[in-house]
Amino acid sequence: MKKNVIVIHGPNINLTGEREASIYGKEDFDSINREILEYAARLGMNCESYQSNVEGELINKIQEVRHTCDGIVLNAGAYTHYSYALRDAIASVRIPCVEVHFSNVHSREEFRSKSVIAPVCAGTIAGFGKYSYILALDGLARIM
């Protein structure tokens, strides 16, 4: 039976390819997203993608998929560092969530090294650019 996974992109991820290319790369969001979805399909997963810049919409989506998804890949962007509401949403759905980041957040500004969502995630992958998502899907495939 195929597993259902959702990849959730948080604030500003939709501008990947345009914003701070030295950090986030030059490849655009749509291209990266296609590659993520194609890779998930090769793993035998049903995968959907969702992006919002709004904290409450991310929380609503996490709650909405709690009975239909087997795993979540989440790039929460800046919400990673201070959204206790997002942390509580992840904890409340009780399905594995993998936190991802394009950049190595530990090699950047000090505030980026603290994740309030990490304690309720199955794991964290950071620093591999778009491949952080691919690695997260591999991880989920092994634990779901």
Side-chain angles (χ1 to χ4, degrees):
M1 181 156 99
K2 282 190 172 187
K3 297 292 185 173
N4 298 316
V5 175
I6 187 165
V7 176
I8 300 177
H9 307 279
N12 301 309
I13 306 304
N14 57 311
L15 295 180
T16 301
E18 297 177 40
R19 67 185 280 246
E20 301 173 278
S22 64
I23 296 171
Y24 301 105
K26 295 179 182 176
E27 192 171 351
D28 68 58
F29 175 72
D30 290 335
S31 174
I32 292 168
N33 214 40
R34 272 192 304 277
E35 189 170 339
I36 292 166
L37 297 176
E38 288 168 4
Y39 188 77
R42 285 197 302 273
L43 290 175
M45 297 175 171
N46 295 315
C47 187
E48 71 174 285
S49 176
Y50 176 79
Q51 191 278 327
S52 178
N53 294 314
V54 180
E55 182 181 26
E57 291 176 3
L58 297 171
I59 292 165
N60 287 343
K61 182 53 82 172
I62 290 168
Q63 291 178 358
E64 178 186 310
V65 303
R66 72 187 183 277
H67 298 301
T68 59
C69 280
D70 301 296
I72 299 170
V73 173
L74 173 63
N75 185 339
Y79 292 135
T80 299
H81 314 295
Y82 66 87
S83 179
Y84 296 106
L86 194 55
R87 179 238 177 259
D88 290 348
I90 296 164
S92 70
V93 297
R94 299 189 335 230
I95 56 177
C97 179
V98 178
E99 172 187 0
V100 300
H101 302 280
F102 281 96
S103 68
N104 179 353
V105 292
H106 301 288
S107 68
R108 297 181 61 197
E109 302 91 342
E110 185 178 337
F111 76 88
R112 293 187 195 275
S113 65
K114 173 66 174 164
S115 169
V116 300
I117 67 172
V120 294
C121 288
T124 300
I125 300 173
F128 295 96
K130 68 180 181 181
Y131 299 108
S132 291
Y133 292 96
I134 301 301
L135 293 168
L137 289 170
D138 281 334
L140 277 178
R142 296 176 194 293
I143 65 170
M144 291 187 305

